[in-house]
Amino acid sequence: MNPNIDVYTTTLSLNEDEVRGKTVVVIDVLRATSTIITAMHNNAKSLIATEDMGEASKIAQNLDPSRCLLCGERDGRQIEGFDLGNSPLEYTEEVVKDKTLILTTTNGTKAISRSSYANRVLIASFLNAKAVSEEIKSSGDEVILVCAGWKGRLSLEDVLCAGYIINLVYGGSLPEDAKDGAQVAAALYNRFADNILEVVSSSNHAKRLLGMGYSDDIGYCCSLDIVNIVPEVVEGVIRI
Ligand code: MLT
C-alpha cells in the first residue's frame, strides 16, 4: 500500500509534534541535499549536518583534522575559514573519500535539524528521487516531504522535486484523500515535467547562484536519478 504523503512547502510548521512517528524526507535541491547526496555517493564516511556555524566548528575541533572537512555556506557563499562551500561539484571522491564532513547551510541543514524527532529522516533531491520513492513506498510510516525553501519562504525547485517524488510513488494518480500540499506539488510537477532545468533556472535561488558564478551547479542539481542511494540521518549522523 502506498504511504500517505504530505508536503510542507516551507519549514515554518516543522516541529517535534508534527514529525513524531513519521518519515521525513528533506529536500533542498539548490543545493544542500544535492551536496549531501553527492558527498555520500562519493564515499564520504559520514556527514554531520548542523544549523549553527559555531557548532560546526566546535564539532570539527573534536575530530582528527586529517579525517574531517568543515563545510558550508551562508547566503550561497563559502564560510570564511571553512574547507569547502556548498557546491556539490566540489565534493568529488578525491576530496571526500573516507572523510567525516561537518556541514552547515542557510536553510537545508536547518530543515534537517528540525526534523530530528521524526521516526526516520531521509535526504532527497532530483539526483536520487527514484531511490527515495522506492524507499518510502516500502515504509509503513506516514511521510512528510519537507521543502527547505529560503528563509521561511517557498522555493520553486524544492516543491517541484516533491511533486516529482509524489509522481513516482503514486504513478501519476493521487489518492482521493491526498493532502493539499501533495496536490499542489504534484500539479506543479505535472505542469513543468518536460522543462525541469528551464523552470528551476528561472527560480529565485538559481538566479542568486548564477550571479555568484555557480551555473554548473544548477544543471547538475537538475539531473534526474543519477544516484541510487538514500542518505539517512541516524542518531545525528548521515550515512548510507
Ligand atoms: C541552503 O541550505 O540554503 C542552500 O543549500 C544554499 C546554497 O545554495 O548554498
Side-chain angles (χ1 to χ4, degrees), residues 28 30-33 73 76 86 105-109 149-150 205 209:
D28 186 0
L30 299 175
R31 298 167 291 175
T33 57
E73 58 71 39
N86 188 34
T105 71
T106 311
N107 305 284
T109 57
W150 184 261
H205 191 47
L209 291 173

Side-chain angles (χ1 to χ4, degrees), residues 8 17 169 219:
Y8 291 6
D17 289 342
V169 171

Side-chain angles (χ1 to χ4, degrees), residues 7 14-16 25 30 33 36-37 41 49 61 75 89 91 96 108 122-123 127 129 144 160 173 175 184 198 208 236:
V7 177
L14 199 57
N15 63 42
E16 195 178 325
V25 177
L30 299 175
T33 57
I36 293 169
I37 292 157
H41 179 62
Q61 276 162 19
D75 296 335
L89 300 178
Y91 291 70
V96 304
L122 309 178
I123 306 297
L127 304 178
I144 306 174
L160 189 64
S173 73
V184 168
E198 199 180 322
R208 227 176 267 129

Side-chain angles (χ1 to χ4, degrees), residues 14-127:
L14 199 57
N15 63 42
E16 195 178 325
D17 289 342
E18 290 284 328
V19 302
R20 205 179 276 287
K22 298 178 183 164
T23 290
V24 167
V25 177
V26 179
I27 302 168
D28 186 0
V29 169
L30 299 175
R31 298 167 291 175
T33 57
S34 298
T35 294
I36 293 169
I37 292 157
T38 303
M40 298 314 296
H41 179 62
N42 285 335
N43 294 317
K45 182 173 173 225
S46 60
L47 187 149
I48 301 168
T50 170
E51 56 181 299
D52 186 75
M53 264 196 275
E55 174 74 12
S57 303
K58 221 185 273 174
I59 297 168
Q61 276 162 19
N62 289 317
L63 295 171
D64 174 351
S66 68
R67 291 173 181 224
C68 85
L69 291 169
L70 188 52
C71 316
E73 58 71 39
R74 282 299 175 268
D75 296 335
R77 295 185 197 283
Q78 180 169 336
I79 300 167
E80 216 184 304
F82 278 33
D83 300 307
L84 297 176
N86 188 34
S87 166
L89 300 178
E90 294 176 85
Y91 291 70
T92 59
E93 178 149 30
E94 204 182 10
V95 173
V96 304
K97 190 168 188 282
D98 297 330
K99 296 269 167 66
T100 296
L101 311 181
I102 299 114
L103 176 70
T104 179
T105 71
T106 311
N107 305 284
T109 57
K110 204 176 273 180
I112 294 168
S113 301
R114 291 189 186 172
S115 304
S116 63
Y117 289 96
N119 196 23
R120 297 180 74 192
V121 181
L122 309 178
I123 306 297
S125 76
F126 283 117
L127 304 178

